[in-house]
Amino acid sequence: MRIIEKRRDYFRGTHKGAEIEIERDPCPGDPERKFYIRVRWKDGGLLYDGWTPEGIGTMAQAKRDAIKGACL
């Protein structure tokens, strides 16, 4: 994974040609969902666009979920 930008509440990087963007931003109405993930393929198509499942509590877990959820 190549890191493009990384902050405490934000991550943007690439993995196997896809761009991963993760924001720590609790879901309105469901505080157990803490991260919003977007994974785009090289052609701009979305591979993952949504809140993480419940139980994902760290940025590292969110990165793993992004890779798994996008089938990378």
Side-chain angles (χ1 to χ4, degrees):
M1 181 174 292
R2 185 174 148 255
I3 298 170
I4 296 172
E5 184 177 353
K6 182 178 176 182
R7 298 188 309 256
R8 182 171 161 35
D9 60 346
Y10 180 79
F11 172 84
R12 189 166 64 107
T14 61
H15 184 75
K16 294 186 177 180
E19 184 173 312
I20 300 170
E21 184 177 19
I22 304 171
E23 295 178 77
R24 181 188 308 265
D25 186 17
C27 176
D30 192 354
E32 287 299 313
R33 298 176 189 267
K34 296 179 173 75
F35 298 91
Y36 195 86
I37 297 174
R38 282 182 204 88
V39 180
R40 294 185 191 280
W41 190 239
K42 301 172 200 178
D43 65 3
L46 284 169
L47 302 175
Y48 187 132
D49 184 24
W51 298 101
T52 55
E54 291 181 11
I56 303 292
T58 67
M59 187 63 80
Q61 290 173 331
K63 288 177 196 175
R64 285 191 295 273
D65 184 63
I67 292 168
K68 181 181 175 186
C71 298
L72 297 174

